[in-house]
Coordinates of all heavy atoms in Angstrom, one line a residue:
M1 N 100.9 87.0 206.3 CA 101.2 86.7 207.7 C 100.3 85.6 208.2 O 99.1 85.6 207.9 CB 101.1 87.9 208.6 CG 101.4 87.6 210.0 SD 101.3 89.0 211.2 CE 102.6 90.1 210.6
H2 N 100.9 84.6 208.8 CA 100.1 83.5 209.4 C 99.4 84.0 210.7 O 99.9 84.9 211.3 CB 101.1 82.4 209.7 CG 100.4 81.1 210.1 ND1 100.2 80.8 211.4 CD2 99.9 80.1 209.3 CE1 99.6 79.6 211.5 NE2 99.4 79.2 210.2
K3 N 98.4 83.3 211.1 CA 97.6 83.7 212.3 C 98.5 83.6 213.5 O 98.2 84.2 214.5 CB 96.3 82.9 212.4 CG 96.6 81.4 212.6 CD 95.3 80.6 212.7 CE 95.6 79.1 212.9 NZ 94.3 78.4 213.0
S4 N 99.6 82.8 213.5 CA 100.5 82.7 214.6 C 101.4 83.9 214.8 O 102.1 84.0 215.8 CB 101.3 81.4 214.5 OG 102.2 81.6 213.4
G5 N 101.4 84.7 213.7 CA 102.3 85.9 213.7 C 103.5 85.6 212.9 O 104.3 86.5 212.7
S6 N 103.7 84.4 212.4 CA 104.9 84.1 211.5 C 104.7 84.8 210.2 O 103.6 84.9 209.7 CB 105.1 82.6 211.4 OG 105.4 82.0 212.6
L7 N 105.9 85.2 209.6 CA 105.8 85.9 208.3 C 107.0 85.4 207.4 O 108.1 85.3 207.9 CB 106.0 87.4 208.6 CG 106.2 88.3 207.4 CD1 105.0 88.4 206.6 CD2 106.7 89.6 207.9
F8 N 106.7 85.1 206.2 CA 107.7 84.7 205.2 C 107.4 85.6 204.0 O 106.4 85.4 203.3 CB 107.6 83.2 204.9 CG 108.8 82.7 204.2 CD1 110.1 82.9 204.6 CD2 108.7 81.9 203.0 CE1 111.2 82.3 204.0 CE2 109.8 81.4 202.4 CZ 111.0 81.6 202.9
K9 N 108.3 86.6 203.8 CA 108.0 87.6 202.8 C 109.1 87.8 201.8 O 110.3 87.9 202.1 CB 107.7 88.9 203.5 CG 107.2 90.1 202.7 CD 106.9 91.3 203.6 CE 106.2 92.4 202.8 NZ 105.9 93.5 203.6
F10 N 108.7 87.8 200.5 CA 109.7 88.0 199.4 C 109.5 89.5 199.0 O 108.4 89.9 198.5 CB 109.4 87.1 198.2 CG 109.6 85.6 198.5 CD1 108.6 84.9 199.1 CD2 110.8 85.1 198.3 CE1 108.8 83.5 199.4 CE2 111.1 83.7 198.6 CZ 110.0 83.0 199.1
H11 N 110.6 90.2 199.1 CA 110.5 91.7 198.8 C 110.9 91.9 197.3 O 111.6 91.1 196.7 CB 111.5 92.5 199.7 CG 111.1 92.4 201.1 ND1 110.2 93.2 201.7 CD2 111.6 91.6 202.1 CE1 110.1 93.0 203.0 NE2 110.9 92.0 203.3
N12 N 110.4 93.0 196.8 CA 110.7 93.3 195.4 C 112.2 93.5 195.1 O 112.6 93.4 193.9 CB 109.9 94.6 194.9 CG 108.4 94.3 194.9 OD1 108.0 93.2 194.7 ND2 107.6 95.3 195.1
D13 N 113.0 93.9 196.1 CA 114.4 94.1 195.9 C 115.2 92.7 195.9 O 116.4 92.7 195.8 CB 115.0 95.0 196.9 CG 114.9 94.5 198.3 OD1 114.4 93.3 198.6 OD2 115.4 95.2 199.3
G14 N 114.5 91.6 196.0 CA 115.1 90.3 196.0 C 115.4 89.8 197.4 O 115.8 88.6 197.6
S15 N 115.3 90.6 198.4 CA 115.5 90.1 199.8 C 114.4 89.3 200.3 O 113.2 89.4 199.8 CB 115.8 91.3 200.8 OG 114.7 92.1 200.9
V16 N 114.6 88.4 201.3 CA 113.6 87.6 201.9 C 113.6 87.8 203.4 O 114.6 87.9 204.0 CB 113.9 86.1 201.6 CG1 112.9 85.2 202.3 CG2 114.0 85.8 200.1
E17 N 112.4 87.9 204.0 CA 112.3 88.2 205.4 C 111.5 87.0 206.0 O 110.5 86.6 205.5 CB 111.5 89.5 205.6 CG 111.2 89.9 207.0 CD 110.4 91.2 207.1 OE1 110.1 91.8 206.1 OE2 110.1 91.6 208.3
L18 N 112.0 86.5 207.1 CA 111.4 85.4 207.9 C 111.3 85.9 209.3 O 112.3 86.2 209.9 CB 112.2 84.1 207.8 CG 111.8 83.0 208.7 CD1 110.3 82.6 208.3 CD2 112.7 81.8 208.5
V19 N 110.1 85.9 209.8 CA 109.9 86.3 211.2 C 109.0 85.3 211.9 O 108.0 84.9 211.3 CB 109.1 87.7 211.3 CG1 108.8 88.1 212.7 CG2 110.0 88.8 210.6
T20 N 109.4 84.8 213.1 CA 108.6 83.9 213.8 C 108.8 84.1 215.3 O 109.9 84.5 215.7 CB 108.8 82.4 213.5 OG1 108.0 81.6 214.2 CG2 110.3 82.0 213.7
N21 N 107.8 84.0 216.1 CA 108.0 84.0 217.5 C 108.0 82.6 218.2 O 107.9 82.5 219.4 CB 106.9 84.9 218.2 CG 105.5 84.4 217.9 OD1 105.3 83.4 217.3 ND2 104.5 85.2 218.4
Q22 N 108.1 81.6 217.3 CA 108.1 80.2 217.7 C 109.5 79.7 217.3 O 110.3 80.4 216.8 CB 107.0 79.5 217.1 CG 105.6 79.9 217.5 CD 105.4 79.8 219.0 OE1 105.7 78.7 219.6 NE2 104.8 80.7 219.7
D23 N 109.6 78.4 217.4 CA 110.9 77.7 217.0 C 111.0 77.7 215.4 O 110.0 77.8 214.7 CB 110.9 76.2 217.4 CG 111.0 76.1 218.9 OD1 111.3 77.0 219.6 OD2 110.7 74.9 219.4
L24 N 112.2 77.7 215.0 CA 112.5 77.6 213.5 C 113.3 76.4 213.3 O 114.4 76.2 213.9 CB 113.2 78.9 213.0 CG 113.7 78.8 211.6 CD1 112.5 78.7 210.6 CD2 114.6 80.0 211.3
N25 N 112.8 75.4 212.6 CA 113.5 74.1 212.4 C 113.7 73.9 210.9 O 112.9 74.2 210.1 CB 112.6 73.0 212.9 CG 112.4 73.1 214.4 OD1 113.3 73.0 215.2 ND2 111.1 73.3 214.8
A26 N 114.9 73.5 210.6 CA 115.3 73.2 209.2 C 115.9 71.8 209.1 O 116.8 71.5 209.9 CB 116.2 74.2 208.6
T27 N 115.5 71.0 208.2 CA 116.1 69.7 208.0 C 116.6 69.7 206.5 O 115.9 69.9 205.6 CB 115.1 68.5 208.2 OG1 114.6 68.6 209.5 CG2 115.8 67.2 207.9
V28 N 117.9 69.4 206.4 CA 118.6 69.4 205.1 C 119.1 68.0 204.8 O 119.9 67.5 205.6 CB 119.7 70.5 205.0 CG1 120.4 70.4 203.6 CG2 119.2 71.8 205.4
G29 N 118.7 67.4 203.7 CA 119.1 66.1 203.3 C 120.5 65.9 203.0 O 121.1 64.8 203.2
R30 N 121.1 66.9 202.4 CA 122.5 66.8 201.9 C 123.4 68.0 202.4 O 123.8 68.0 203.6 CB 122.6 66.7 200.4 CG 122.0 65.4 199.9 CD 122.6 64.9 198.6 NE 124.0 65.3 198.6 CZ 124.8 64.9 197.6 NH1 124.3 64.1 196.7 NH2 126.0 65.2 197.6
H31 N 123.6 69.0 201.6 CA 124.4 70.1 202.0 C 123.6 71.4 202.2 O 122.6 71.6 201.5 CB 125.4 70.4 200.9 CG 126.3 69.2 200.5 ND1 127.3 68.8 201.4 CD2 126.3 68.3 199.5 CE1 127.9 67.7 200.8 NE2 127.3 67.4 199.7
A32 N 124.1 72.2 203.1 CA 123.5 73.6 203.2 C 124.7 74.6 202.9 O 125.7 74.6 203.7 CB 123.0 73.8 204.7
N33 N 124.5 75.3 201.9 CA 125.6 76.2 201.4 C 125.0 77.6 201.6 O 124.0 78.0 201.1 CB 125.9 76.0 200.0 CG 126.5 74.6 199.8 OD1 127.5 74.2 200.4 ND2 125.8 73.8 199.0
I34 N 125.8 78.5 202.3 CA 125.4 79.9 202.5 C 126.6 80.7 202.0 O 127.7 80.6 202.5 CB 125.1 80.1 204.0 CG1 124.0 79.2 204.5 CG2 124.8 81.6 204.2 CD1 123.8 79.3 206.0
N35 N 126.3 81.6 201.1 CA 127.3 82.6 200.6 C 126.8 84.0 201.0 O 125.8 84.4 200.5 CB 127.5 82.4 199.1 CG 128.1 81.1 198.7 OD1 129.2 80.7 199.2 ND2 127.4 80.3 198.0
V36 N 127.6 84.7 201.8 CA 127.2 86.0 202.2 C 128.3 87.0 201.8 O 129.5 86.8 202.1 CB 127.0 86.0 203.8 CG1 126.6 87.4 204.2 CG2 126.0 85.0 204.2
T37 N 127.9 88.0 201.1 CA 128.9 89.0 200.6 C 129.1 90.1 201.7 O 130.1 90.8 201.7 CB 128.5 89.7 199.3 OG1 127.2 90.3 199.5 CG2 128.5 88.7 198.2
G38 N 128.2 90.2 202.7 CA 128.3 91.2 203.8 C 128.7 90.5 205.1 O 129.4 89.5 205.1
N39 N 128.1 90.9 206.1 CA 128.3 90.4 207.5 C 127.3 89.4 207.9 O 126.1 89.5 207.4 CB 128.4 91.5 208.5 CG 129.5 92.5 208.3 OD1 130.6 92.1 207.9 ND2 129.3 93.8 208.5
V40 N 127.6 88.5 208.8 CA 126.6 87.6 209.4 C 126.6 88.0 210.9 O 127.7 88.0 211.6 CB 127.0 86.2 209.3 CG1 126.0 85.3 210.0 CG2 127.0 85.8 207.8
V41 N 125.5 88.3 211.5 CA 125.3 88.6 212.9 C 124.3 87.7 213.5 O 123.2 87.5 213.0 CB 124.8 90.1 213.1 CG1 124.6 90.4 214.5 CG2 125.8 91.1 212.4
A42 N 124.7 87.0 214.6 CA 123.8 86.2 215.3 C 123.8 86.6 216.8 O 124.8 86.7 217.4 CB 124.3 84.7 215.3
N43 N 122.6 87.0 217.2 CA 122.4 87.4 218.6 C 121.6 86.3 219.3 O 120.4 86.0 218.9 CB 121.6 88.7 218.7 CG 122.4 89.8 218.1 OD1 123.5 90.1 218.6 ND2 121.9 90.5 217.1
V44 N 122.2 85.6 220.3 CA 121.5 84.5 220.9 C 121.4 84.8 222.4 O 122.4 85.0 223.1 CB 122.4 83.2 220.7 CG1 121.7 82.0 221.4 CG2 122.6 82.9 219.3
S45 N 120.2 84.8 222.9 CA 120.0 85.1 224.3 C 120.2 83.9 225.2 O 120.5 84.1 226.4 CB 118.6 85.7 224.6 OG 117.6 84.7 224.3
G46 N 120.2 82.7 224.7 CA 120.5 81.5 225.4 C 121.9 80.9 225.0 O 122.8 81.7 224.8
N47 N 122.0 79.6 224.9 CA 123.2 78.9 224.5 C 123.2 78.7 223.0 O 122.2 78.6 222.4 CB 123.3 77.6 225.2 CG 123.5 77.8 226.7 OD1 124.1 78.7 227.2 ND2 122.9 76.9 227.5
L48 N 124.4 78.6 222.5 CA 124.6 78.2 221.1 C 125.4 76.9 221.1 O 126.5 76.8 221.6 CB 125.4 79.3 220.3 CG 125.8 78.9 218.9 CD1 124.5 78.7 218.0 CD2 126.6 80.0 218.3
N49 N 124.8 75.8 220.6 CA 125.4 74.5 220.7 C 125.6 74.0 219.2 O 124.6 74.1 218.4 CB 124.5 73.5 221.4 CG 124.4 73.9 222.9 OD1 125.3 74.0 223.6 ND2 123.1 74.2 223.3
A50 N 126.8 73.5 218.9 CA 127.0 73.0 217.6 C 127.7 71.6 217.8 O 128.7 71.5 218.5 CB 127.9 73.9 216.8
T51 N 127.2 70.6 217.1 CA 127.8 69.3 217.1 C 128.3 69.0 215.7 O 127.4 69.0 214.8 CB 126.9 68.2 217.6 OG1 126.5 68.6 219.0 CG2 127.5 66.8 217.7
V52 N 129.5 68.7 215.5 CA 130.1 68.4 214.2 C 130.7 67.1 214.2 O 131.6 66.8 215.0 CB 131.1 69.5 213.8 CG1 131.7 69.2 212.4 CG2 130.5 70.9 213.9
G53 N 130.3 66.2 213.3 CA 130.9 64.8 213.2 C 132.3 64.8 212.6 O 133.1 63.9 212.9
G54 N 132.7 65.9 211.8 CA 134.0 65.9 211.2 C 134.8 67.0 211.8 O 134.8 67.2 213.0
N55 N 135.5 67.8 211.0 CA 136.3 68.9 211.5 C 135.7 70.3 211.2 O 134.8 70.4 210.4 CB 137.7 68.9 210.7 CG 138.5 67.6 211.0 OD1 138.5 67.2 212.1 ND2 139.0 67.0 210.0
I56 N 136.1 71.2 212.0 CA 135.8 72.6 211.7 C 137.0 73.3 211.3 O 138.0 73.3 211.9 CB 135.2 73.3 213.0 CG1 133.9 72.7 213.4 CG2 135.0 74.8 212.7 CD1 133.4 73.2 214.7
T57 N 136.9 74.0 210.1 CA 138.0 74.8 209.6 C 137.6 76.2 209.4 O 136.5 76.4 208.8 CB 138.5 74.2 208.2 OG1 138.8 72.8 208.4 CG2 139.6 75.0 207.6
S58 N 138.4 77.1 209.9 CA 138.0 78.5 209.8 C 139.2 79.3 209.4 O 140.4 78.9 209.6 CB 137.4 79.1 211.1 OG 138.4 79.2 212.1
S59 N 139.0 80.4 208.7 CA 140.1 81.3 208.3 C 139.7 82.7 208.4 O 138.5 83.1 208.0 CB 140.5 81.0 206.8 OG 141.5 81.9 206.4
A60 N 140.5 83.5 209.1 CA 140.1 84.9 209.2 C 141.4 85.7 209.4 O 142.5 85.2 209.8 CB 139.2 85.1 210.5
A61 N 141.4 87.0 209.2 CA 142.6 87.9 209.4 C 142.9 87.9 210.9 O 144.0 87.9 211.3 CB 142.3 89.3 208.9
S62 N 141.8 87.9 211.7 CA 142.0 87.9 213.2 C 140.7 87.3 213.8 O 139.7 87.4 213.2 CB 142.2 89.3 213.7 OG 142.4 89.4 215.1
W63 N 140.8 86.6 214.9 CA 139.7 86.1 215.6 C 139.7 86.6 217.0 O 140.6 86.3 217.8 CB 139.8 84.6 215.5 CG 138.5 83.9 216.0 CD1 137.5 84.4 216.7 CD2 138.2 82.5 215.8 NE1 136.5 83.4 217.0 CE2 136.9 82.3 216.4 CE3 138.8 81.4 215.2 CZ2 136.3 81.0 216.4 CZ3 138.2 80.2 215.2 CH2 137.0 80.0 215.8
N64 N 138.7 87.4 217.4 CA 138.7 88.0 218.7 C 137.5 87.4 219.5 O 136.5 87.1 219.0 CB 138.4 89.5 218.6 CG 139.5 90.2 217.8 OD1 140.7 90.1 218.1 ND2 139.1 90.9 216.7
H65 N 137.8 87.1 220.7 CA 136.9 86.4 221.6 C 136.9 87.1 223.0 O 138.0 87.4 223.5 CB 137.2 85.0 221.8 CG 136.3 84.3 222.8 ND1 135.0 83.8 222.5 CD2 136.5 84.0 224.1 CE1 134.5 83.3 223.6 NE2 135.4 83.4 224.5
T66 N 135.7 87.3 223.6 CA 135.6 87.9 224.9 C 135.0 86.8 225.8 O 133.9 86.3 225.4 CB 134.8 89.2 224.9 OG1 135.4 90.1 224.1 CG2 134.7 89.7 226.4
G67 N 135.6 86.5 226.9 CA 135.1 85.5 227.8 C 136.0 84.3 227.9 O 137.0 84.2 227.3
N68 N 135.7 83.4 228.8 CA 136.5 82.2 229.1 C 136.3 81.2 228.0 O 135.3 81.1 227.4 CB 136.2 81.6 230.4 CG 136.4 82.6 231.6 OD1 137.4 83.3 231.6 ND2 135.6 82.5 232.6
I69 N 137.4 80.4 227.8 CA 137.3 79.3 226.8 C 137.8 78.0 227.6 O 138.8 78.0 228.2 CB 138.2 79.5 225.6 CG1 137.7 80.7 224.8 CG2 138.3 78.2 224.7 CD1 138.6 81.0 223.6
T70 N 137.0 77.0 227.5 CA 137.3 75.7 228.1 C 137.5 74.7 226.9 O 136.6 74.6 226.1 CB 136.2 75.2 229.0 OG1 136.0 76.2 230.1 CG2 136.6 73.9 229.7
V71 N 138.6 74.0 226.9 CA 138.9 73.0 225.9 C 139.1 71.7 226.5 O 139.9 71.5 227.5 CB 140.2 73.4 225.1 CG1 140.5 72.4 224.1 CG2 140.0 74.8 224.5
T72 N 138.4 70.6 226.0 CA 138.7 69.3 226.4 C 139.5 68.7 225.3 O 139.0 68.5 224.2 CB 137.4 68.5 226.6 OG1 136.6 69.2 227.6 CG2 137.6 67.1 227.1
G73 N 140.8 68.4 225.5 CA 141.6 67.9 224.4 C 142.9 68.7 224.3 O 143.2 69.5 225.3
T74 N 143.6 68.7 223.2 CA 144.9 69.3 223.1 C 144.7 70.6 222.3 O 144.0 70.6 221.3 CB 145.8 68.4 222.3 OG1 146.0 67.2 223.1 CG2 147.2 69.0 222.1
V75 N 145.4 71.7 222.7 CA 145.4 72.9 221.9 C 146.8 72.9 221.3 O 147.8 72.8 221.9 CB 145.3 74.1 222.8 CG1 145.4 75.4 222.1 CG2 143.9 74.1 223.5
T76 N 146.8 73.1 219.9 CA 148.1 73.1 219.2 C 148.2 74.4 218.5 O 147.2 74.9 217.9 CB 148.1 71.9 218.1 OG1 147.9 70.7 218.8 CG2 149.4 71.9 217.4
A77 N 149.4 75.0 218.6 CA 149.7 76.3 217.9 C 150.9 76.1 217.0 O 151.9 75.5 217.5 CB 149.9 77.4 218.9
S78 N 150.9 76.5 215.8 CA 152.0 76.3 214.9 C 153.1 77.4 215.1 O 154.2 77.2 214.7 CB 151.6 76.4 213.4 OG 151.0 77.6 213.1
T79 N 152.8 78.5 215.7 CA 153.8 79.5 215.9 C 154.1 79.7 217.4 O 155.2 79.4 217.9 CB 153.5 80.9 215.3 OG1 152.2 81.3 215.8 CG2 153.4 80.8 213.8
D80 N 153.2 80.2 218.2 CA 153.5 80.4 219.6 C 152.1 80.6 220.4 O 151.1 80.8 219.8 CB 154.3 81.7 219.8 CG 155.0 81.8 221.1 OD1 154.8 80.9 222.0 OD2 155.7 82.8 221.4
V81 N 152.2 80.5 221.7 CA 151.1 80.8 222.5 C 151.6 81.8 223.5 O 152.6 81.7 224.1 CB 150.6 79.5 223.3 CG1 149.5 79.9 224.3 CG2 150.2 78.4 222.4
V82 N 150.8 82.9 223.7 CA 151.2 84.0 224.6 C 150.1 84.2 225.6 O 148.9 84.3 225.3 CB 151.4 85.3 223.8 CG1 151.7 86.4 224.7 CG2 152.4 85.1 222.7
G83 N 150.4 84.1 226.9 CA 149.5 84.3 228.0 C 150.1 85.3 228.9 O 151.2 85.2 229.4
G84 N 149.3 86.4 229.3 CA 149.8 87.4 230.2 C 151.1 88.0 229.7 O 151.9 88.4 230.5
G85 N 151.2 88.1 228.4 CA 152.4 88.7 227.8 C 153.7 87.8 227.8 O 154.7 88.3 227.4
K86 N 153.5 86.6 228.2 CA 154.7 85.7 228.2 C 154.5 84.7 227.1 O 153.5 84.0 226.9 CB 154.7 84.9 229.6 CG 154.7 85.7 230.8 CD 156.0 86.5 231.0 CE 156.0 87.2 232.3 NZ 156.9 88.3 232.4
S87 N 155.6 84.6 226.3 CA 155.6 83.7 225.2 C 156.0 82.3 225.7 O 156.9 82.1 226.4 CB 156.7 84.1 224.2 OG 157.0 83.1 223.3
L88 N 155.2 81.3 225.2 CA 155.5 79.9 225.6 C 156.8 79.5 225.0 O 157.6 78.7 225.6 CB 154.4 79.0 225.1 CG 154.4 77.5 225.6 CD1 154.4 77.4 227.1 CD2 153.3 76.8 225.0
K89 N 157.2 80.0 223.8 CA 158.4 79.5 223.1 C 159.6 80.3 223.6 O 160.7 79.7 223.7 CB 158.3 79.8 221.6 CG 157.3 78.9 220.9 CD 157.2 79.2 219.4 CE 158.5 78.9 218.7 NZ 158.3 79.1 217.2
S90 N 159.5 81.5 224.0 CA 160.7 82.3 224.2 C 160.8 82.9 225.6 O 161.7 83.7 225.9 CB 160.9 83.4 223.2 OG 159.8 84.3 223.3
H91 N 159.9 82.5 226.6 CA 160.1 83.1 227.9 C 161.3 82.5 228.6 O 161.8 81.4 228.2 CB 158.8 82.8 228.7 CG 158.6 81.4 229.1 ND1 158.0 80.4 228.3 CD2 159.0 80.7 230.3 CE1 158.0 79.3 228.9 NE2 158.6 79.4 230.1
V92 N 161.8 83.2 229.6 CA 163.0 82.7 230.3 C 162.6 82.6 231.8 O 161.6 83.2 232.3 CB 164.2 83.7 230.2 CG1 164.6 83.7 228.8 CG2 163.8 85.1 230.6
H93 N 163.3 81.9 232.6 CA 163.1 81.7 234.0 C 164.3 82.3 234.8 O 165.4 82.1 234.3 CB 163.0 80.2 234.3 CG 161.8 79.6 233.7 ND1 160.6 79.4 234.4 CD2 161.5 79.1 232.5 CE1 159.7 78.8 233.7 NE2 160.2 78.6 232.5
A94 N 164.0 82.9 235.9 CA 165.1 83.4 236.8 C 165.5 82.3 237.8 O 164.7 81.4 238.1 CB 164.6 84.7 237.5
G95 N 166.7 82.4 238.3 CA 167.1 81.6 239.4 C 167.3 80.1 239.0 O 167.0 79.2 239.8
V96 N 167.7 79.8 237.8 CA 167.8 78.4 237.3 C 169.1 77.9 237.8 O 170.2 78.4 237.7 CB 167.8 78.4 235.8 CG1 168.1 76.9 235.3 CG2 166.5 78.9 235.2
T97 N 169.0 76.7 238.5 CA 170.2 76.0 239.0 C 170.4 74.7 238.2 O 169.4 74.0 238.0 CB 170.0 75.6 240.5 OG1 169.7 76.8 241.2 CG2 171.2 74.9 241.0
P98 N 171.6 74.5 237.6 CA 171.8 73.3 236.8 C 171.5 72.0 237.6 O 171.7 72.0 238.8 CB 173.2 73.4 236.4 CG 173.6 74.8 236.5 CD 172.8 75.3 237.6
G99 N 171.0 71.0 237.0 CA 170.7 69.8 237.7 C 169.2 69.5 237.7 O 168.5 69.9 236.8
G100 N 168.8 68.8 238.7 CA 167.4 68.4 238.8 C 166.5 69.4 239.6 O 165.4 69.1 240.0
S101 N 166.9 70.7 239.7 CA 166.1 71.7 240.4 C 164.9 72.1 239.6 O 164.8 71.9 238.3 CB 166.9 72.9 240.7 OG 168.0 72.6 241.5
V102 N 163.9 72.7 240.2 CA 162.7 73.2 239.6 C 163.0 74.7 239.4 O 163.4 75.4 240.3 CB 161.5 73.0 240.5 CG1 160.3 73.6 239.9 CG2 161.3 71.5 240.7
T103 N 162.6 75.2 238.2 CA 162.8 76.6 238.0 C 161.8 77.5 238.6 O 160.7 77.0 239.1 CB 162.7 76.9 236.4 OG1 161.4 76.7 236.0 CG2 163.7 76.1 235.7
G104 N 162.1 78.8 238.7 CA 161.1 79.7 239.2 C 160.1 80.1 238.1 O 160.1 79.6 237.0
S105 N 159.2 81.0 238.4 CA 158.2 81.5 237.5 C 158.9 82.2 236.3 O 160.0 82.8 236.5 CB 157.2 82.4 238.2 OG 156.6 81.8 239.2
P106 N 158.3 82.3 235.1 CA 158.8 83.0 234.0 C 159.0 84.5 234.4 O 158.2 85.0 235.2 CB 157.8 82.9 232.9 CG 157.0 81.7 233.3 CD 157.1 81.6 234.8
V107 N 160.0 85.2 233.9 CA 160.1 86.6 234.1 C 159.7 87.4 232.9 O 159.5 86.9 231.8 CB 161.6 87.0 234.4 CG1 162.0 86.3 235.7 CG2 162.5 86.5 233.3

């Protein structure tokens, strides 16, 4: 253990422990590859900011989110978008009058 309270420990079972009460900074010259056979848990009491110069690609059986999402740009879905139980592709409108009229709300 360092006098600052930081700890970098190699355990006999092969696990590694890193503890610090200060900032943790890492600079990687090329690639950072992380392979995890279990779960990854991140608890952040402040903000989490990520800046990516290219694309982000993710794949999961399901992606669950709690809270508001703000998007600057276009949201594209290959199958459908559902909001409040209403399908963007298959919802219908009541009181439709042929011609240049404006429809009512989806039913």
Side-chain angles (χ1 to χ4, degrees):
M1 180 177 297
H2 187 268
K3 64 181 180 180
S4 67
S6 295
L7 170 74
F8 196 50
K9 188 174 185 180
F10 295 90
H11 296 278
N12 290 333
D13 64 2
S15 63
V16 179
E17 181 180 358
L18 171 62
V19 177
T20 181
N21 59 3
Q22 298 296 318
D23 293 346
L24 174 63
N25 300 294
T27 300
V28 179
R30 290 206 39 172
H31 302 286
N33 300 298
I34 302 171
N35 295 300
V36 180
T37 57
N39 296 323
V40 175
V41 177
N43 296 303
V44 181
S45 62
N47 295 323
L48 175 62
N49 299 300
T51 301
V52 179
N55 296 317
I56 296 176
T57 302
S58 67
S59 177
S62 180
W63 189 343
N64 300 304
H65 174 82
T66 301
N68 298 326
I69 296 177
T70 301
V71 176
T72 301
T74 301
V75 175
T76 302
S78 62
T79 55
D80 198 359
V81 176
V82 178
K86 307 291 185 202
S87 163
L88 186 61
K89 288 178 68 173
S90 63
H91 71 274
V92 296
H93 294 261
V96 177
T97 304
S101 299
V102 176
T103 64
S105 299
V107 293

